[in-house]
Coordinates of all heavy atoms in Angstrom, one line a residue:
Chain A
K12 N 11.3 -23.9 -19.8 CA 11.4 -22.6 -19.1 C 12.8 -22.5 -18.5 O 13.3 -23.4 -17.8 CB 10.4 -22.6 -18.0 CG 10.5 -21.3 -17.1 CD 10.1 -20.0 -17.8 CE 10.4 -18.8 -16.9 NZ 10.1 -17.5 -17.6
R16 N 20.6 -16.1 -15.1 CA 21.3 -15.4 -14.1 C 22.7 -15.1 -14.5 O 23.5 -15.9 -14.9 CB 21.3 -16.2 -12.8 CG 21.4 -15.4 -11.5 CD 21.3 -16.3 -10.3 NE 19.9 -16.7 -10.1 CZ 19.6 -17.9 -9.4 NH1 20.6 -18.7 -8.9 NH2 18.4 -18.2 -9.2
N52 N 3.3 -21.1 -11.7 CA 3.3 -19.7 -12.2 C 2.9 -19.6 -13.7 O 2.2 -18.7 -14.1 CB 4.6 -19.0 -12.0 CG 4.8 -18.8 -10.5 OD1 3.9 -18.8 -9.7 ND2 6.1 -18.4 -10.1
I57 N 1.3 -15.9 -14.4 CA 2.1 -14.8 -13.9 C 3.5 -14.9 -14.3 O 4.4 -14.1 -13.9 CB 2.0 -14.7 -12.3 CG1 2.5 -16.0 -11.6 CG2 0.6 -14.4 -11.8 CD1 2.6 -15.8 -10.1
D58 N 3.9 -15.8 -15.2 CA 5.2 -15.9 -15.8 C 4.9 -16.5 -17.2 O 3.9 -17.1 -17.5 CB 6.1 -16.8 -15.0 CG 7.6 -16.4 -15.2 OD1 7.8 -15.6 -16.1 OD2 8.5 -17.1 -14.6
A81 N -3.1 -9.7 -17.6 CA -3.6 -9.3 -16.3 C -5.1 -9.4 -16.1 O -5.6 -9.9 -15.1 CB -3.1 -7.9 -16.0
R84 N -6.0 -13.1 -15.8 CA -5.8 -13.6 -14.5 C -6.9 -13.2 -13.6 O -7.4 -14.0 -12.8 CB -4.5 -13.0 -13.9 CG -3.2 -13.7 -14.4 CD -2.0 -13.3 -13.4 NE -1.8 -11.9 -13.3 CZ -1.0 -11.2 -14.1 NH1 -0.4 -11.8 -15.1 NH2 -0.8 -10.0 -14.0
A85 N -7.3 -12.0 -13.7 CA -8.4 -11.5 -12.9 C -9.7 -12.3 -13.1 O -10.4 -12.6 -12.2 CB -8.6 -10.0 -13.1
F90 N -5.6 -17.4 -6.6 CA -4.3 -17.8 -6.1 C -4.3 -18.0 -4.6 O -4.9 -17.2 -3.9 CB -3.3 -16.7 -6.4 CG -3.1 -16.4 -7.8 CD1 -4.0 -15.5 -8.5 CD2 -2.1 -16.9 -8.6 CE1 -3.8 -15.2 -9.8 CE2 -1.9 -16.6 -9.9 CZ -2.8 -15.8 -10.6
F92 N -1.2 -18.6 -1.7 CA 0.3 -18.7 -1.6 C 0.6 -19.3 -0.2 O -0.2 -19.4 0.7 CB 0.9 -17.4 -1.7 CG 0.6 -16.6 -2.9 CD1 -0.5 -15.7 -2.9 CD2 1.3 -16.8 -4.0 CE1 -0.8 -15.0 -4.1 CE2 1.0 -16.0 -5.2 CZ -0.1 -15.2 -5.2
F94 N 2.7 -18.0 2.0 CA 2.7 -17.0 3.0 C 1.5 -16.0 3.0 O 1.6 -14.9 3.2 CB 4.0 -16.2 2.9 CG 5.2 -17.1 3.1 CD1 6.1 -17.4 2.1 CD2 5.5 -17.7 4.4 CE1 7.2 -18.2 2.3 CE2 6.6 -18.5 4.6 CZ 7.4 -18.8 3.5
N96 N 0.1 -13.8 1.8 CA 0.2 -12.6 0.9 C -1.1 -11.8 1.0 O -1.6 -11.4 -0.1 CB 0.4 -13.0 -0.5 CG 1.9 -13.3 -0.7 OD1 2.7 -12.9 0.1 ND2 2.3 -14.0 -1.8
I98 N -2.8 -8.1 2.1 CA -2.3 -6.7 2.2 C -2.5 -6.2 3.7 O -3.6 -6.2 4.1 CB -3.0 -5.7 1.3 CG1 -3.0 -6.2 -0.2 CG2 -2.5 -4.3 1.4 CD1 -1.7 -6.1 -0.9
P99 N -1.4 -6.0 4.4 CA -1.5 -5.8 5.8 C -2.3 -4.6 6.3 O -2.9 -4.6 7.4 CB 0.0 -5.6 6.3 CG 0.7 -5.3 5.0 CD 0.0 -5.9 3.9
V100 N -2.5 -3.6 5.4 CA -3.2 -2.4 5.8 C -4.7 -2.5 5.6 O -5.5 -1.7 5.8 CB -2.7 -1.1 5.2 CG1 -1.4 -0.7 5.8 CG2 -2.6 -1.2 3.7
L101 N -5.1 -3.7 5.0 CA -6.5 -3.8 4.7 C -7.1 -4.9 5.6 O -6.4 -5.9 6.0 CB -6.7 -4.3 3.2 CG -6.2 -3.3 2.1 CD1 -6.4 -3.8 0.7 CD2 -6.8 -1.9 2.3
T102 N -8.4 -4.8 5.9 CA -9.1 -5.7 6.8 C -9.3 -7.0 6.0 O -9.2 -7.0 4.7 CB -10.4 -5.2 7.3 OG1 -11.2 -4.9 6.1 CG2 -10.2 -3.9 8.1
E105 N -11.7 -6.2 3.3 CA -11.1 -5.4 2.2 C -10.2 -6.2 1.3 O -10.1 -6.1 0.1 CB -10.4 -4.2 2.7 CG -11.4 -3.1 3.3 CD -10.6 -2.1 4.2 OE1 -9.5 -2.4 4.6 OE2 -11.3 -1.0 4.4
E108 N -12.3 -8.2 -0.9 CA -13.0 -7.3 -1.9 C -12.0 -6.9 -3.0 O -12.4 -6.6 -4.1 CB -13.5 -6.1 -1.1 CG -14.4 -5.3 -2.0 CD -14.8 -3.9 -1.3 OE1 -14.2 -3.6 -0.4 OE2 -15.8 -3.3 -1.8
L109 N -10.7 -6.9 -2.7 CA -9.7 -6.4 -3.6 C -9.9 -6.8 -5.1 O -10.0 -5.9 -6.0 CB -8.3 -6.7 -3.1 CG -7.1 -5.8 -3.4 CD1 -7.5 -4.3 -3.1 CD2 -5.9 -6.2 -2.5
P110 N -10.0 -8.1 -5.4 CA -10.1 -8.5 -6.8 C -11.4 -8.1 -7.4 O -11.5 -7.9 -8.6 CB -10.0 -10.0 -6.8 CG -10.0 -10.4 -5.4 CD -9.8 -9.3 -4.5
L112 N -12.7 -5.2 -7.1 CA -12.6 -3.8 -7.5 C -12.4 -3.7 -9.0 O -12.6 -2.7 -9.6 CB -11.5 -3.1 -6.7 CG -11.7 -2.9 -5.2 CD1 -10.5 -2.2 -4.6 CD2 -13.0 -2.2 -4.9
L113 N -11.9 -4.8 -9.6 CA -11.6 -4.8 -11.0 C -12.8 -5.2 -11.8 O -12.7 -5.1 -13.0 CB -10.4 -5.7 -11.3 CG -9.1 -5.4 -10.6 CD1 -8.1 -6.5 -10.8 CD2 -8.6 -4.1 -11.2
R121 N -20.7 -6.4 -4.4 CA -19.4 -6.8 -3.8 C -19.6 -7.3 -2.4 O -19.0 -8.3 -2.0 CB -18.4 -5.7 -3.9 CG -18.1 -5.2 -5.3 CD -16.7 -4.4 -5.3 NE -16.7 -3.3 -4.5 CZ -16.9 -2.0 -4.9 NH1 -17.2 -1.8 -6.2 NH2 -16.9 -1.0 -4.1
Y141 N -7.7 -7.1 10.9 CA -6.5 -6.9 10.1 C -5.7 -8.2 10.1 O -5.8 -9.0 11.1 CB -5.7 -5.8 10.5 CG -6.3 -4.4 10.2 CD1 -7.2 -3.8 11.1 CD2 -6.1 -3.9 9.0 CE1 -7.8 -2.6 10.7 CE2 -6.7 -2.7 8.6 CZ -7.6 -2.0 9.5 OH -8.2 -0.9 9.1
R157 N -10.3 -14.8 -0.8 CA -9.9 -13.8 -1.8 C -9.8 -14.6 -3.2 O -10.1 -14.0 -4.2 CB -8.6 -13.1 -1.5 CG -8.2 -12.1 -2.5 CD -6.9 -11.4 -2.1 NE -5.8 -12.3 -2.1 CZ -4.5 -12.0 -1.7 NH1 -4.3 -10.8 -1.1 NH2 -3.5 -12.9 -1.7
Chain B
M1 N -14.9 -0.2 -0.5 CA -13.5 0.3 -0.6 C -13.1 0.8 -2.0 O -13.5 0.1 -2.9 CB -12.5 -0.8 -0.1 CG -11.1 -0.2 0.1 SD -9.9 -1.5 0.4 CE -10.1 -2.5 -1.1
K2 N -12.4 1.8 -2.0 CA -11.9 2.3 -3.3 C -10.4 2.4 -3.3 O -9.8 2.4 -2.2 CB -12.5 3.7 -3.5 CG -14.0 3.7 -3.9 CD -14.2 3.6 -5.4 CE -15.5 3.1 -5.8 NZ -16.7 3.8 -5.2
I3 N -9.8 2.6 -4.5 CA -8.4 2.8 -4.6 C -7.9 3.9 -3.6 O -6.9 3.8 -3.0 CB -8.0 3.1 -6.0 CG1 -8.2 1.9 -6.9 CG2 -6.6 3.7 -6.1 CD1 -7.0 1.0 -7.0
K5 N -9.0 4.8 -0.8 CA -8.8 4.4 0.6 C -7.5 3.6 0.8 O -6.8 3.9 1.8 CB -10.0 3.5 0.9 CG -10.1 3.2 2.4 CD -11.4 2.5 2.7 CE -11.5 2.0 4.2 NZ -12.7 1.2 4.4
L6 N -7.1 2.9 -0.2 CA -5.8 2.2 -0.2 C -4.7 3.1 -0.2 O -3.7 3.0 0.5 CB -5.8 1.2 -1.3 CG -4.5 0.2 -1.3 CD1 -4.4 -0.5 0.0 CD2 -4.6 -0.8 -2.4
K9 N -4.5 4.6 3.2 CA -4.0 3.6 4.2 C -2.5 3.4 4.0 O -1.7 3.4 4.9 CB -4.7 2.3 4.1 CG -6.1 2.4 4.7 CD -6.7 1.0 4.8 CE -7.9 1.1 5.7 NZ -8.4 -0.3 6.1
N10 N -2.1 3.4 2.7 CA -0.7 3.2 2.4 C 0.2 4.4 2.9 O 1.2 4.3 3.5 CB -0.4 3.1 0.9 CG -0.6 1.7 0.4 OD1 -0.4 0.7 1.2 ND2 -0.9 1.5 -0.8
R13 N 0.8 4.3 6.6 CA 1.2 3.0 7.1 C 2.3 3.2 8.2 O 2.3 2.6 9.3 CB 1.7 2.1 6.0 CG 1.8 0.7 6.4 CD 2.3 -0.1 5.2 NE 1.3 -0.2 4.1 CZ 1.3 -1.3 3.3 NH1 2.2 -2.2 3.4 NH2 0.5 -1.3 2.3
R287 N 6.5 -6.8 -2.6 CA 5.8 -8.1 -2.6 C 4.3 -7.7 -2.8 O 3.6 -8.4 -3.6 CB 6.0 -8.8 -1.3 CG 5.1 -10.0 -1.1 CD 5.5 -10.8 0.1 NE 6.6 -11.6 -0.1 CZ 6.5 -12.9 -0.3 NH1 5.3 -13.5 -0.4 NH2 7.5 -13.7 -0.5
E288 N 3.8 -6.7 -2.2 CA 2.4 -6.3 -2.3 C 2.1 -5.9 -3.8 O 1.0 -6.2 -4.2 CB 2.1 -5.2 -1.4 CG 2.0 -5.7 0.1 CD 1.9 -4.5 1.0 OE1 1.2 -3.6 0.8 OE2 2.6 -4.7 2.1
Y289 N 3.0 -5.2 -4.4 CA 2.7 -4.9 -5.8 C 2.6 -6.1 -6.6 O 1.8 -6.2 -7.6 CB 3.8 -3.9 -6.3 CG 3.8 -2.5 -5.6 CD1 5.0 -1.9 -5.4 CD2 2.6 -2.0 -5.3 CE1 5.0 -0.7 -4.7 CE2 2.6 -0.7 -4.6 CZ 3.7 -0.1 -4.3 OH 3.7 1.1 -3.7
I291 N 1.5 -8.9 -5.5 CA 0.2 -9.5 -5.2 C -0.9 -8.8 -6.1 O -1.7 -9.5 -6.7 CB -0.1 -9.4 -3.7 CG1 0.9 -10.1 -2.9 CG2 -1.6 -9.9 -3.5 CD1 0.8 -9.8 -1.4
L292 N -0.8 -7.5 -6.0 CA -1.8 -6.7 -6.8 C -1.8 -7.1 -8.3 O -2.8 -7.3 -8.9 CB -1.6 -5.2 -6.6 CG -1.9 -4.7 -5.2 CD1 -1.6 -3.2 -5.0 CD2 -3.4 -4.9 -4.8
K293 N -0.6 -7.2 -8.8 CA -0.5 -7.5 -10.2 C -1.0 -8.9 -10.5 O -1.7 -9.1 -11.4 CB 1.0 -7.5 -10.6 CG 1.6 -6.1 -10.9 CD 2.8 -6.2 -11.7 CE 3.9 -5.2 -11.2 NZ 5.2 -5.4 -11.9
T294 N -0.7 -9.8 -9.6 CA -1.2 -11.2 -9.7 C -2.7 -11.2 -9.7 O -3.4 -11.9 -10.5 CB -0.7 -12.1 -8.5 OG1 0.7 -12.1 -8.5 CG2 -1.3 -13.5 -8.6
L295 N -3.3 -10.4 -8.9 CA -4.8 -10.4 -8.9 C -5.4 -9.7 -10.1 O -6.6 -9.6 -10.2 CB -5.3 -9.6 -7.6 CG -4.9 -10.2 -6.3 CD1 -5.4 -9.4 -5.1 CD2 -5.5 -11.6 -6.2
G296 N -4.5 -9.1 -10.9 CA -5.0 -8.5 -12.2 C -5.0 -7.0 -12.2 O -5.4 -6.4 -13.2
F297 N -4.4 -6.4 -11.2 CA -4.3 -4.9 -11.2 C -3.2 -4.6 -12.3 O -2.2 -5.3 -12.4 CB -3.9 -4.4 -9.9 CG -5.0 -4.4 -8.9 CD1 -5.4 -5.5 -8.2 CD2 -5.8 -3.2 -8.7 CE1 -6.4 -5.5 -7.3 CE2 -6.8 -3.2 -7.8 CZ -7.2 -4.3 -7.1
S298 N -3.5 -3.5 -13.1 CA -2.7 -3.3 -14.2 C -1.7 -2.2 -13.9 O -1.7 -1.6 -12.8 CB -3.5 -2.7 -15.3 OG -4.2 -1.6 -15.0
H301 N -3.2 0.9 -12.6 CA -3.7 0.9 -11.3 C -2.5 1.3 -10.3 O -2.6 2.1 -9.4 CB -4.2 -0.4 -10.8 CG -5.5 -0.7 -11.5 ND1 -5.7 -1.7 -12.4 CD2 -6.8 -0.1 -11.4 CE1 -7.0 -1.7 -12.8 NE2 -7.6 -0.7 -12.2
R377 N 9.1 -7.9 -12.4 CA 8.2 -9.0 -12.8 C 7.6 -9.6 -11.6 O 8.2 -9.6 -10.5 CB 9.0 -10.0 -13.6 CG 9.5 -9.4 -15.0 CD 10.6 -10.2 -15.6 NE 10.2 -11.6 -15.8 CZ 10.9 -12.7 -15.4 NH1 12.0 -12.5 -14.6 NH2 10.5 -13.9 -15.6
I378 N 6.4 -10.1 -11.8 CA 5.7 -10.7 -10.6 C 6.5 -11.7 -9.9 O 6.7 -11.7 -8.7 CB 4.4 -11.3 -11.1 CG1 3.4 -10.3 -11.7 CG2 3.7 -12.0 -9.9 CD1 2.1 -10.8 -12.2
V379 N 7.1 -12.7 -10.6 CA 7.8 -13.8 -10.0 C 9.0 -13.2 -9.2 O 9.4 -13.8 -8.1 CB 8.3 -14.9 -11.0 CG1 7.1 -15.7 -11.4 CG2 9.0 -14.2 -12.2
D380 N 9.6 -12.2 -9.7 CA 10.8 -11.6 -9.0 C 10.3 -10.8 -7.7 O 10.9 -10.8 -6.7 CB 11.5 -10.6 -9.9 CG 12.3 -11.4 -11.0 OD1 12.7 -12.6 -10.7 OD2 12.4 -10.9 -12.1
F382 N 7.8 -11.6 -5.9 CA 7.5 -12.6 -4.8 C 8.8 -13.1 -4.2 O 8.8 -13.5 -3.0 CB 6.6 -13.8 -5.4 CG 5.2 -13.4 -5.4 CD1 4.5 -13.6 -6.6 CD2 4.5 -13.0 -4.4 CE1 3.1 -13.3 -6.7 CE2 3.2 -12.6 -4.4 CZ 2.5 -12.8 -5.6
R383 N 9.8 -13.2 -5.0 CA 11.1 -13.7 -4.4 C 11.9 -12.6 -3.7 O 12.9 -12.9 -3.2 CB 11.9 -14.3 -5.6 CG 11.3 -15.6 -6.1 CD 12.0 -15.9 -7.5 NE 13.4 -16.2 -7.4 CZ 13.9 -17.5 -7.2 NH1 13.0 -18.5 -7.1 NH2 15.1 -17.7 -7.1

Side-chain angles (χ1 to χ4, degrees):
Chain A
K12 176 68 185 178
R16 207 174 286 154
N52 288 347
I57 61 175
D58 203 359
R84 281 196 303 270
F90 300 84
F92 306 92
F94 300 110
N96 283 341
I98 306 286
V100 287
L101 300 182
T102 61
E105 291 165 341
E108 191 187 16
L109 211 46
L112 295 180
L113 296 171
R121 293 204 300 265
Y141 284 91
R157 182 179 67 185
Chain B
M1 190 192 57
K2 286 269 159 57
I3 288 274
K5 192 168 175 190
L6 185 54
K9 287 190 164 191
N10 273 341
R13 199 181 285 209
R287 174 175 277 265
E288 286 169 39
Y289 294 142
I291 299 167
L292 291 175
K293 284 197 218 174
T294 301
L295 295 179
F297 284 83
S298 63
H301 292 114
R377 293 162 57 235
I378 296 176
V379 286
D380 294 326
F382 279 125
R383 291 164 66 92

